Amino acid sequence: MRRKTWTPLVIALLGSSALAVPAIAQDQAPPPQAATSGNEAIGDIIVTAQKREESLQNVPISVQALGTQKLEQMNITDFNDYTKLLPSVAFQVATPGTATVYIRGVASGGDGNHSGSLPSVGFYLDEQPITTIGGTLDVHIYDIARIEALSGPQGTLYGASSEAGTVRIITNKPSTAGFEGGFDVEGNTVRKGGQGGVVEGFVNVPLNESIAVRAVGFYQHDAGYIDNIAGTRNFLGGLSISNPGFVKKNYNDVDTYGGRLALGIDLSDDWTATASVFGQEQKSHGSFGYDTSLGDLKVQRFFPEFNKDRWVQAALTVQGKIGNWDLTYAGAYMDRKRNSSSDYTDYAEAYDALYANYGGQAGYFYYQDNAGNTILPLQHIDGSDHFKRVSQELRIASPSENPFRVVGGVFYQRQSNLIHQDYKIDNLGAQVSVNGLPGTLWLTQQKRVDRDYAIFGEASWDITPTLTLTGGLRGYKFDNTLIGFFGFGRNPGVDPDDGRAFTASPFNGAGSSRTGVAACYTTDGRTLRQVINGSTDTVKLLPAAVAGGPCTNLADFKNGKLVPKRTKDDGVLYRVNLNWKPAEGKLLYATWSKGFRPGGINRRATIPPYAPDFLVNYEVGFKTTWNNTFRWNGAFFWQDWKKFQFSFLGQNSFTEIHNGPNARIKGIETDFAWNPVTGLTLSGSAAYTDGKIRKNLCLFDDPTFACTAPGPGGEDNRVSSAKGTRLPITPKFKFSATGRYEFEAGPDVKPYLQATVTHASSAASDIRQSIDGSGSIDLNVPPGVTGVRFNAAAQQGRLPAWTTADFALGAKWGKITTELFVQNAFDERAQISRFVQCGSCYPAAGGFGGFGRSYAVVQTPRTIGIRAGYRF
């Protein structure tokens, strides 16, 4: 029977959705075409990597896909689980929800700051972009159709922030085919840690022949395994602190809960609409990096630490036909709020030692209470980020069965971030605090807005039935702004010899006369410092452009008012692909493509904006299937990364972003799956990545890369990393292999055994190296102190090689599944990333002096558990 035609509603939906803020997806696949997969056991599944449904083996680009079956078999529930199985993917993380992801070695390290570079890897939930600055969403994986990892630039179809690749998480959609549901539970225990568990469930309900609803809910508790042990920190001047109130075992636990609700409507035979809402909240406590100087899985913390990450994404997609052409409107609205508190005691410890010649911080700075008494210099940070993102796309595609076919469209997105970072010292006096915020030594209060516009098109021509040429272009424009305040306060008191406000000493807790309120704009466009030092005028500060700040020092003064600092640019990206199918189940392809990452504004106003960086990819690959039991895919790539963006902690441990030299990345990636006999499946994937910089990376910008041009204050320049230095974070070699055997043990009973081994070679944790002691970092060395040098890569420590093994034993009884499992069976300390807390917090190592501590973030220690599920 023909469905009811709701054409007027289709038109209304299209019109209203173009104006509404809550919209849905950046890139939605057109209505399904005839596409068939092969043997799912060997991973030949349907994907939509190129905006249309195709068998994985027919997609002429490097794609690794984890289907529903694989996700369930591997018990994948979060970001760390699935990235272990993707050999071309690496990442850095300090706490859950703050991961910065890299593909194919396109990593300079350290660019996960909340106002840092945009990511080089795009993330999508269904067809909606969820890429945010300063941390990839840690989406809970449940009731997921598949995860697709696209390696190499995806600029023509996915645009900015898909410079190095794209990861897509595709959910199961509402279905009118019938009622279904299920739930899963898990309990586990972590070696040297606590106990955790998971409860998940889903239901799909057809309301009638054309409308269905799908609902998903989940709760997960991850046990802690790092202990906060008793300790004391002593400071010059007879000051010390201990932490008896914060000593706790299994300090770093995580709770994640949320849900998804989707409504699918068949408006007519040719038109559909899908609306969905996905919300998640994640609460973590403690530190996820352990102090390598204290022993295994131990830290010393003196203030509360937590991270709360809450987000919601609303989505709407309308698809249909105009004649025999496919029309898609897709849009999305995301709201993400993140609040955190972290201990910054390491900063005080390092700087106290660094300023020992001056009596430590007590002798050099002005950390005092309202009565003028010296107080403990300990800092802790209260932070928040409020991200908002709107994206909209309209796309049209010609029939896919034509020998010449095209797809084209327009795209817009706007993302904003309200940034708040409050560096507190308990009992700090009001006169030496940030104005209006007693107890705040340093404040960052800024608003960042990134806008992207694009028009794109791609055409494919079947030159012969087995030879296809594809070409695509994407014209882009970005417009990024930043405005607000950063820095110290300014004593509002009056120096009797001057008679004006803001002249009393000390200027602030750090004694700084330049940074913070001193650089804020007054009503005539001068800064406070310029008014005080260059005239006898009274200071009249302009009000704060961003609520919560004392004034504004990060902006441009134009026509009597403050406007955000801005950087913008436009350009064209391209992709050319030639693929040949010499025989059934065999495909060879060659690709030339370009991706980019937009530039932006540095939060320190004295540092110029950083420019876009570009990645040009040359790639040849193959996809083969043999007898529908063996699949083997591979690719060889050569990538030129031009003027790559990199960030580091500069003066005052303040993040700076610069453009470095060019880099070249060469590599191989491959994956296979083999089903030799019924019930037995062997699969694996591997990547070899060798990325090196092609010229010196200098301590200060030098267009010649000879590292002889002086710094902005006349400082001596030097080589930070020499030509030929390997890019950090990504291991040179990484592989994962899985064996699974299922067999019949009675009517409707299928026991199974499974084992997985994952290995990664060692990698540098930071791009900055030293050359005979001359390439180190000394930005934070006080005047008069000589012979102190910091080497980030050596003193922070390398990421050592690691190998983990996971095992599972279970059975399926009809609709019931049970499993006993052990993950990280040999309790390997598999380090994901390493970090220090400040620009001078490097420990002594490799012949270099140091005053701080290095932290290692590791995969969860050995975990033993049991899980059960039921489908109905």
Side-chain angles (χ1 to χ4, degrees):
M1 185 176 73
R2 181 179 174 85
R3 300 186 188 92
K4 183 177 179 180
T5 300
W6 293 350
T7 304
L9 179 58
V10 172
I11 297 171
L13 277 169
L14 284 170
S16 62
S17 60
L19 299 174
V21 172
I24 300 209
Q26 174 175 350
D27 302 301
Q28 176 70 31
Q33 306 294 331
T36 58
S37 64
N39 183 355
E40 186 175 354
I42 61 172
D44 188 3
I45 62 175
I46 298 299
V47 298
T48 53
Q50 295 194 120
K51 311 295 181 111
R52 57 181 177 269
E53 291 192 341
E54 301 170 281
S55 166
L56 174 67
Q57 294 303 93
N58 290 330
V59 180
I61 60 175
S62 180
V63 182
Q64 189 174 355
L66 306 174
T68 301
Q69 185 181 94
K70 188 76 168 181
L71 294 171
E72 292 179 352
Q73 290 175 354
M74 303 300 294
N75 186 36
I76 290 172
T77 62
D78 58 21
F79 173 83
N80 189 46
D81 288 340
Y82 66 78
T83 52
K84 282 200 305 182
L85 303 179
L86 303 174
S88 293
V89 177
F91 65 94
Q92 289 180 293
V93 66
T95 59
T98 63
T100 302
V101 184
Y102 312 104
I103 289 181
R104 284 185 172 176
V106 182
S108 59
D111 46 11
N113 186 273
H114 48 224
S115 192
S117 301
L118 282 163
S120 63
V121 175
F123 266 76
Y124 286 74
L125 178 60
D126 289 321
E127 307 298 334
Q128 306 97 321
I130 56 173
T131 310
T132 59
I133 306 158
T136 300
L137 291 185
D138 192 1
V139 178
H140 183 81
I141 305 301
Y142 185 69
D143 191 42
I144 298 298
R146 64 189 178 277
I147 296 175
E148 301 175 4
L150 290 64
S151 297
Q154 306 298 322
T156 53
L157 291 180
Y158 294 95
S161 291
S162 286
E163 177 184 38
T166 303
V167 176
R168 307 175 70 231
I169 302 170
I170 310 299
T171 63
N172 286 318
K173 303 300 187 295
S175 171
T176 58
F179 176 83
E180 65 170 332
F183 63 86
D184 296 87
V185 295
E186 176 187 315
N188 59 64
T189 183
V190 178
R191 184 175 185 268
K192 294 188 175 182
Q195 288 71 49
V198 185
V199 179
E200 307 163 310
F202 76 93
V203 64
N204 182 88
V205 183
L207 302 181
N208 57 37
E209 65 175 3
S210 59
I211 302 176
V213 174
R214 194 176 192 97
V216 178
F218 54 85
Y219 169 76
Q220 178 172 337
H221 175 72
D222 295 325
Y225 48 85
I226 293 178
D227 298 337
N228 191 26
I229 64 174
T232 300
R233 303 285 176 91
N234 297 307
F235 302 91
L236 296 173
L239 304 173
S240 67
I241 187 174
S242 299
N243 64 344
F246 296 99
V247 173
K248 185 179 179 180
K249 291 183 69 64
N250 310 327
Y251 184 54
N252 60 322
D253 60 335
V254 185
D255 290 286
T256 305
Y257 54 90
R260 185 174 81 245
L261 182 65
L263 173 68
I265 305 175
D266 293 332
L267 300 170
S268 71
D269 286 341
D270 293 330
W271 288 86
T272 64
T274 304
S276 64
V277 177
F278 195 146
Q280 179 176 297
E281 182 161 325
Q282 186 177 72
K283 298 178 179 178
S284 61
H285 305 91
S287 171
F288 288 78
Y290 73 89
D291 185 340
T292 56
S293 70
L294 295 177
D296 189 33
L297 304 179
K298 293 180 175 62
V299 294
Q300 286 178 346
R301 289 291 189 263
F302 300 82
F303 290 97
E305 291 190 301
F306 66 84
N307 187 69
K308 181 179 178 181
D309 189 0
R310 175 188 294 176
W311 58 269
V312 62
Q313 173 140 298
L316 172 68
T317 302
V318 180
Q319 298 173 280
K321 285 185 176 292
I322 298 178
N324 62 351
W325 288 58
D326 298 316
L327 181 70
T328 300
Y329 166 78
Y333 173 74
M334 184 176 70
D335 189 288
R336 181 186 190 187
K337 295 179 180 178
R338 193 168 67 197
N339 298 283
S340 64
S341 179
S342 54
D343 188 328
Y344 208 39
T345 300
D346 284 8
Y347 179 95
E349 181 183 46
Y351 273 69
D352 201 61
L354 192 60
Y355 286 83
N357 290 351
Y358 298 87
Q361 293 186 88
Y364 191 84
F365 298 112
Y366 303 92
Y367 299 152
Q368 55 193 36
D369 60 19
N370 285 325
N373 301 311
T374 299
I375 60 175
L376 276 168
L378 304 179
Q379 296 183 39
H380 54 101
I381 308 169
D382 290 342
S384 67
D385 291 280
H386 188 180
F387 301 93
K388 293 182 179 180
R389 182 185 189 122
V390 176
S391 64
Q392 310 221 32
E393 180 172 298
L394 184 65
R395 186 175 67 251
I396 192 166
S398 65
S400 62
E401 64 271 15
N402 290 351
F404 182 79
R405 51 202 175 271
V406 297
V407 59
V410 292
F411 171 71
Y412 164 76
Q413 75 173 3
R414 181 186 188 273
Q415 55 181 327
S416 65
N417 183 15
L418 184 61
I419 305 160
H420 172 77
Q421 293 285 303
D422 188 341
Y423 293 71
K424 294 179 175 292
I425 296 180
D426 291 346
N427 302 316
L428 186 67
Q431 298 294 94
V432 292
S433 298
V434 172
N435 303 59
L437 297 169
T440 296
L441 175 67
W442 175 288
L443 178 71
T444 298
Q445 192 76 13
Q446 298 170 354
K447 184 174 183 179
R448 172 174 177 167
V449 178
D450 292 22
R451 302 173 184 86
D452 294 280
Y453 313 82
I455 181 169
F456 62 92
E458 192 167 274
S460 296
W461 175 36
D462 295 334
I463 302 171
T464 73
T466 61
L467 186 65
T468 300
L469 176 66
T470 299
L473 295 172
R474 187 183 188 98
Y476 68 84
K477 177 181 179 181
F478 69 83
D479 185 353
N480 300 340
T481 61
L482 187 63
I483 190 171
F485 174 84
F486 69 96
F488 304 107
R490 178 77 175 213
N491 191 333
V494 177
D495 181 347
D497 294 333
D498 186 287
R500 294 176 294 174
F502 301 107
T503 57
S505 295
F507 293 139
N508 45 59
S512 174
S513 64
R514 298 176 180 273
T515 305
V517 173
C520 279
Y521 286 99
T522 64
T523 54
D524 62 6
R526 291 179 294 171
T527 65
L528 181 150
R529 176 181 169 83
Q530 289 170 336
V531 172
I532 293 295
N533 293 348
S535 74
T536 58
D537 298 340
T538 301
V539 173
K540 297 179 181 179
L541 288 171
L542 284 168
V546 179
C551 49
T552 303
N553 58 9
L554 182 60
D556 287 325
F557 185 83
K558 294 183 178 180
N559 301 320
K561 62 180 182 180
L562 297 176
V563 297
K565 283 190 169 292
R566 169 171 287 173
T567 183
K568 57 184 180 179
D569 200 1
D570 54 58
V572 176
L573 305 176
Y574 54 79
R575 183 173 82 98
V576 178
N577 177 277
L578 182 66
N579 70 84
W580 178 43
K581 298 178 179 177
E584 183 69 24
K586 312 295 184 293
L587 182 147
L588 302 174
Y589 70 87
T591 298
W592 174 40
S593 57
K594 182 180 183 180
F596 94 111
R597 176 169 50 170
I601 304 295
N602 268 292
R603 291 190 295 141
R604 186 184 292 277
T606 56
I607 299 174
Y610 52 95
D613 58 12
F614 297 89
L615 186 72
V616 178
N617 176 59
Y618 310 90
E619 177 178 341
V620 293
F622 62 89
K623 296 191 172 184
T624 63
T625 305
W626 308 79
N627 300 322
N628 206 31
T629 60
F630 181 72
R631 177 184 59 80
W632 181 31
N633 299 343
F636 304 84
F637 59 87
W638 173 305
Q639 300 182 136
D640 286 328
W641 193 13
K642 299 183 178 181
K643 297 183 178 179
F644 64 80
Q645 298 169 12
F646 76 102
S647 58
F648 60 91
L649 295 175
Q651 289 178 310
N652 308 116
S653 292
F654 199 69
T655 300
E656 299 180 13
I657 307 163
H658 296 255
N659 289 91
N662 296 342
R664 176 164 290 165
I665 307 164
K666 304 175 185 177
I668 304 170
E669 55 194 13
T670 186
D671 65 280
F672 79 94
W674 185 26
N675 188 197
V677 296
T678 301
L680 176 63
T681 303
L682 304 174
S683 60
S685 55
Y688 171 84
T689 309
D690 187 19
K692 297 177 180 178
I693 63 175
R694 304 197 66 199
K695 292 185 179 180
N696 295 332
L697 177 66
C698 303
L699 181 62
F700 298 106
D701 292 341
D702 184 342
T704 69
F705 301 103
C707 303
T708 56
E715 303 94 337
D716 290 340
N717 208 341
R718 58 179 65 91
V719 174
S720 182
S721 295
K723 173 182 176 182
T725 298
R726 290 199 72 240
L727 294 172
I729 312 304
T730 302
K732 201 168 187 178
F733 182 64
K734 181 182 176 183
F735 77 84
S736 178
T738 299
R740 182 182 176 92
Y741 182 59
E742 298 182 1
F743 56 95
E744 300 283 350
D748 216 17
V749 178
K750 279 190 174 182
Y752 61 85
L753 303 167
Q754 180 174 284
T756 299
V757 176
T758 305
H759 171 79
S761 62
S762 66
S765 62
D766 195 290
I767 194 171
R768 294 167 295 169
Q769 308 284 326
S770 69
I771 304 123
D772 299 327
S774 64
S776 11
I777 305 153
D778 63 354
L779 288 175
N780 297 290
V781 176
V785 176
T786 60
V788 177
R789 294 288 185 269
F790 301 109
N791 178 327
Q795 294 171 258
Q796 186 168 279
R798 286 183 63 83
L799 297 171
W802 54 265
T803 303
T804 61
D806 305 333
F807 302 100
L809 168 66
K812 297 179 181 179
W813 287 278
K815 298 179 180 180
I816 299 173
T817 303
T818 61
E819 181 178 279
L820 176 67
F821 66 90
V822 55
Q823 295 174 332
N824 195 2
F826 303 110
D827 201 30
E828 178 87 347
R829 294 294 176 265
Q831 293 189 18
I832 301 169
S833 58
R834 296 179 72 99
F835 66 90
V836 295
Q837 285 199 322
C838 72
S840 294
C841 289
Y842 295 99
F848 292 87
F851 311 104
R853 300 162 185 261
S854 178
Y855 294 86
V857 181
V858 298
Q859 293 184 20
T860 306
R862 181 170 60 234
T863 302
I864 300 174
I866 186 170
R867 66 174 65 95
Y870 179 72
R871 296 293 181 266
F872 53 86

